[in-house]
Amino acid sequence: MNHNFKNLDIWKLSRELVKEIYLTTKNFPSDEKFGLISQIRRCVVSIPSNIAEGCGRDTDKQFVYFLDIAIGSSCELESHLYLAFDLSYIQQSDLDYYTNKINQIRRMTMSFQKKYK
């Protein structure tokens, strides 16, 4: 297998998303540091990390497995962002922006994954 993850658009887009989410969560209440902020940051980092890790694996089956984890993390991230919206930590426009970007990354990842199943 051994794709170069740095050449993959899904990795590049998910990396951009990490930066944006980190900047957004800086504005959350400090009492969420070990709660929602931590959860959101862990799952957003998981997306490009698992894409990269999958690229380093030897088989298509292993690669698909790590792409599955990235897809799952994108769903978890989306769920956490809805909670952040419900708690008024982000605005509707932020939620819409992030859910659109997450869905774009998820669709691209699933499409890419189909090539190796």
Side-chain angles (χ1 to χ4, degrees):
M1 173 73 14
N2 291 324
H3 292 280
N4 184 342
F5 65 89
K6 292 176 276 185
N7 294 332
L8 297 177
D9 288 339
I10 54 173
W11 180 79
K12 292 174 188 175
L13 284 173
S14 59
R15 188 171 156 227
E16 289 172 13
L17 180 63
V18 171
K19 181 179 177 183
E20 293 171 349
I21 291 292
Y22 263 72
L23 292 173
T24 296
T25 56
K26 277 186 175 185
N27 299 319
F28 284 23
S30 60
D31 64 339
E32 287 291 354
K33 182 176 183 180
F34 300 108
L36 199 53
I37 294 171
S38 175
Q39 290 288 78
I40 287 172
R41 288 180 174 182
R42 285 191 307 174
C43 60
V44 75
V45 167
S46 176
I47 299 168
S49 299
N50 278 289
I51 293 167
E53 186 169 354
C55 286
R57 297 300 172 146
D58 291 332
T59 67
D60 289 349
K61 184 177 180 180
Q62 290 174 316
F63 184 49
V64 166
Y65 171 77
F66 282 95
L67 292 177
D68 272 336
I69 294 172
I71 291 165
S73 293
S74 74
C75 293
E76 181 182 1
L77 174 60
E78 189 173 359
S79 177
H80 290 329
L81 291 173
Y82 276 99
L83 293 173
F85 172 74
D86 293 343
L87 295 166
S88 300
Y89 298 161
I90 60 174
Q91 301 298 314
Q92 181 71 54
S93 59
D94 297 320
L95 179 64
D96 293 343
Y97 172 79
Y98 288 128
T99 56
N100 286 333
K101 193 158 191 175
I102 292 164
N103 286 318
Q104 176 189 12
I105 292 167
R106 187 181 307 131
R107 281 190 309 271
M108 290 172 67
T109 305
M110 292 169 76
S111 177
F112 186 58
Q113 185 184 49
K114 285 180 184 178
K115 297 177 186 177
Y116 300 97
K117 279 190 170 183

